[in-house]
Amino acid sequence: MKVSGTQRRELIEKALAARENSYSPYSHFRVGAALLCSDGSVYTGCNIENRAYGPTNCAERTAFFKAVSEGKREFAAIAITGGENETVWCYPCGVCRQVMAEFCAPDAFEIICARSEEEYKTYTLAELLPEMF
């Protein structure tokens, strides 16, 4: 599925909104994600911290796990936004990239790292996770 400009803007908008739900009392770094399924449905997620850090879950994995738990298995793109008072460039961590590799076509899945609806960078999963496991 090819992602349109309208879909990119919608994903970024939803990721920015999801960021507002972040539970990040330790890092104070809020992250939001919006995942586009191949059928056009969108699942959002935010980072959820825990003082033990190990149980912390990233926004990207929250969105993926919500979608997979609802039976979705095919994905086209994800938008990621992050920051506390303003949005900064935010990229998926290695664990999130590996979760993406479990479900997504490396050369087709689009990762949109956004500061705003107008300012974003796009990558394929293969670009951000070469030689994936």
Side-chain angles (χ1 to χ4, degrees):
M1 172 182 182
K2 186 74 175 161
V3 181
S4 71
T6 301
Q7 287 173 311
R8 272 190 207 96
R9 284 188 297 281
E10 177 186 330
L11 287 174
I12 294 167
E13 180 182 301
K14 288 184 178 197
L16 287 165
R19 186 180 76 142
E20 297 303 313
N21 294 327
S22 168
Y23 178 75
S24 49
Y26 308 106
S27 72
H28 304 289
F29 191 85
R30 298 176 302 152
V31 181
L35 176 64
L36 176 63
C37 301
S38 295
D39 67 2
S41 58
V42 175
Y43 288 81
T44 60
C46 63
N47 59 321
I48 304 166
E49 293 182 349
N50 185 282
R51 72 178 56 169
Y53 284 102
T56 293
N57 202 52
C58 298
E60 301 92 309
R61 282 184 282 144
T62 299
F64 264 93
F65 295 163
K66 285 170 63 176
V68 171
S69 74
E70 296 293 324
K72 305 299 180 179
R73 299 289 189 277
E74 296 180 9
F75 306 100
I78 192 167
I80 305 159
T81 62
E84 183 55 27
N85 296 318
E86 63 183 57
T87 307
V88 299
W89 295 116
C90 186
Y91 301 89
C93 74
V95 174
C96 288
R97 293 176 197 199
Q98 189 59 48
V99 168
M100 292 173 195
E102 184 71 21
F103 296 101
C104 305
D107 294 320
F109 185 71
E110 187 174 309
I111 300 168
I112 305 158
C113 302
R115 292 178 62 163
S116 69
E117 291 175 43
E118 297 80 30
E119 190 177 11
Y120 61 87
K121 301 175 186 179
T122 62
Y123 304 90
T124 64
L125 178 56
E127 289 175 311
L128 292 185
L129 188 62
E131 307 300 326
M132 62 192 69
F133 179 74

